[in-house]
Every structure is written in structure tokens, then in C-alpha cells.
Amino acid sequence: MGGVLAERVEELRSDHSHGGSWMARRAVEALAELASESAESSAKLLERLDVAGHELAATRREMGAIAGAVGRVLAAAHHGAHLAPEELRRLVQVEVSGLVGSRDRAAAAIAIQLAPSLTDAFVLTHSASATVREAVLHTPPELVLCTVSAPFEEGRAFAEDLRSSGLDVELVDDADAEQALERASLFLVGADTVFRDGAVCNKVGTLPLAEAATRLGVRTVVACEVIKLAPIDAPQRIEDEHFDLTQPEDVDEIVTEEGSYPSDDVRTLIDRTPFLSEGYALLAAG
């Protein structure tokens, strides 16, 4: 177990070019690999998965997608604890396969819901969200304004990618981003975690832009998959300096594959999604 798990933990800790969905996929693929190794009993296999799940979720605590995805797989495994080891192994692998496959379907569903908001819109976005990319490719806005998104400047590659797909795109220096909001009709971002109280953890720089959007009367919309929802309220602060926390009063709408919600009502979706609470409980137990 050590080799597979150690390599994946290091990969997740050191990566700054991919978003939460990609990291979630890599985390659960590691669980599938670990499940494929022989185990003398289902109890031993569950113990192996629990240990690995805790380590994977702890690599990037600000990335709710990792905890959500890992928790979902662990919850399914614990529901199958009565199965023989080989059957439990297959259950885990089927769950991982289904979760990975659902990512594209989730992004497509979110894109469809965002279509009315994107038609003829002037959109400012921050950081390189794969979910935002799917949405603006599905319904090209009048203009996309991409921030550089320091310190890793992923906005540069994101802007070029959108241009190569035929969109009208401008790259905006971070220092000029609030001024660019005056030209925007929509501030659209992804998320690394959306908490039960509606607060949003995302790439540093999201908070001041959302606050500026509120002052200017520009709608702030967050596009994220259900696995990025956390069944807990937001912490007082985010420890990682590369992320910040936007309060629910500065978020107008959260769009998921299960529907759109005002930030202060996203708890209704979280509360009716059992794998979120079950998964977080299992991760907290260790």
C-alpha cells in the first residue's frame, strides 16, 4: 500500500495546475488501486481503505472535492462491509468508475443550467475552472475576461485555451480585475469547497472580486459539482494562503448538477445528499 498511496499523496500535495475535480479523480483512483490488492478479509480491506482515505483527504483540506469523493467511496465500502473481500473489491471499483464517469455528466448539466445567464453576457472569471470552461464553451458569452490569477498565473493558459476554441477573450492583470468588473454582467467562478452555510473556498483573489461585484451590482455565480459540497459550516479562516473564503452574502447563486440554489439555501441540497454526511463522518472518525 505504501508505494501507491505515498506517490498519490505527494502528487496531490505538490500539484498547483489542476482543480479539485481532477484531484478528486486521482484520489479515488488510488483507492481503486489499493482495493485491487489482496486482503485476507473484508475488515482488513476496509481498514486499508479507511487509512488511505484519511491520508488522501488530508493532503489538501481546502479541496472539498477530495474529501467529498473519497468520502463517497468509503461510505459505499462501509455499506458493503458484509460482502466477501472479492465482492467488496468489485463494489469499490464500480463506485470509483461511476464517480469518475459522473464528472463529465455533471459539468454538462451545469453548463446547460448556466446557458441563459451566459447568452450575450460579459463574463469575468478567476482561476482556471474546468466547470466554467465547460459552461462557456457550451454557451459562448459576448466576452470572457480572464484574470491572470497569480501566483501560478493559470489564467494565461486558460485564456489561450478559450481563444483557441473560438471565444472572444481578454486577459486581465489581477491589479485591474476590479476595474474590469465594471464591464462585466456576470462574475462566474468554480469552487474548491462550498460549505453548508453557503460560504465558498476558492483560489485567492475570489473574495475581493466577489465583494466588488456586490458593490457594483454584478451577479456572482459559483459553478461546482455536488462532490465539492461540504456538510459543515465554513471555518473562520482558510489556512492555505493560496485560497480565500467568500461569505454567502457575496454569492448570488450556486449551480450544481442537481440544480441551482441561492447561497443561503445550498444546505437543503447538502442535507438531502447522504453520501456527503456519511463520508465526512467516516473521515472525521479517524
Side-chain angles (χ1 to χ4, degrees):
M1 179 172 88
V4 172
L5 182 59
E7 288 177 9
R8 196 57 49 87
V9 164
E10 177 57 29
E11 177 185 51
L12 295 176
R13 282 179 177 158
S14 61
D15 187 277
H16 292 288
S17 61
H18 295 94
S21 297
W22 182 90
M23 292 192 180
R25 189 191 81 218
R26 296 295 288 159
V28 297
E29 285 173 346
L31 292 180
E33 287 187 55
L34 293 171
S36 69
E37 298 175 4
S38 62
E40 62 186 58
S41 67
S42 292
K44 288 293 185 182
L45 177 53
L46 273 178
E47 181 181 358
R48 178 194 304 163
L49 293 172
D50 283 341
V51 169
H54 281 83
E55 287 199 43
L56 290 163
T59 56
R60 302 291 290 273
R61 295 190 184 279
E62 72 284 353
M63 293 278 190
I66 300 177
V70 166
R72 175 173 169 175
V73 173
L74 292 184
H78 279 264
H79 281 296
H82 61 286
L83 298 173
E86 187 58 35
E87 293 174 329
L88 180 57
R89 180 176 298 112
R90 282 197 294 270
L91 183 152
V92 170
Q93 292 170 336
V94 167
E95 186 71 19
V96 168
S97 178
L99 199 157
V100 170
S102 70
R103 194 280 167 226
D104 289 340
R105 294 191 296 273
I110 292 168
I112 290 169
Q113 293 180 74
L114 284 170
S117 298
L118 292 174
T119 302
D120 300 324
F122 286 71
V123 176
L124 177 72
T125 190
H126 181 66
S127 193
S129 164
T131 311
V132 169
R133 179 184 185 276
E134 181 84 13
V136 297
L137 291 180
H138 181 274
T139 308
E142 187 73 19
L143 177 67
V144 181
L145 301 158
C146 294
T147 64
V148 170
S149 304
F152 304 111
E153 299 195 350
E154 61 269 30
R156 293 186 184 277
F158 190 56
E160 187 55 40
D161 174 42
L162 296 181
R163 280 197 198 101
S164 68
S165 298
L167 274 67
D168 191 359
V169 180
E170 289 183 18
L171 185 65
V172 178
D173 287 338
D174 290 355
D176 300 325
E178 291 191 24
Q179 184 177 352
L181 263 174
E182 296 177 6
R183 302 168 56 199
S185 57
L186 179 68
F187 178 42
L188 176 64
V189 291
D192 291 293
T193 309
V194 174
F195 293 95
R196 189 175 180 274
D197 57 5
V200 175
C201 174
N202 197 46
K203 173 72 182 284
V204 66
T206 303
L207 168 61
L209 287 174
E211 291 177 335
T214 298
R215 293 194 301 271
L216 292 167
V218 176
R219 294 179 69 242
T220 293
V221 175
V222 173
C224 75
E225 302 95 321
V226 168
I227 60 167
K228 294 183 177 181
L229 305 180
I232 56 175
D233 287 345
Q236 291 296 311
R237 62 187 297 270
I238 301 296
E239 298 298 327
D240 192 320
E241 64 182 5
H242 299 123
F243 297 84
D244 61 25
L245 189 65
T246 301
Q247 297 304 313
E249 56 265 29
D250 291 313
V251 177
D252 293 280
E253 186 178 15
I254 296 167
V255 182
T256 78
E257 68 269 32
E258 296 294 332
S260 300
Y261 295 82
S263 59
D264 60 1
D265 193 41
V266 72
R267 69 183 66 230
T268 62
L269 173 58
I270 293 173
D271 291 346
R272 65 177 174 84
T273 306
F275 79 78
L276 291 171
S277 56
E278 292 175 9
Y280 268 74
L282 287 168
L283 292 171

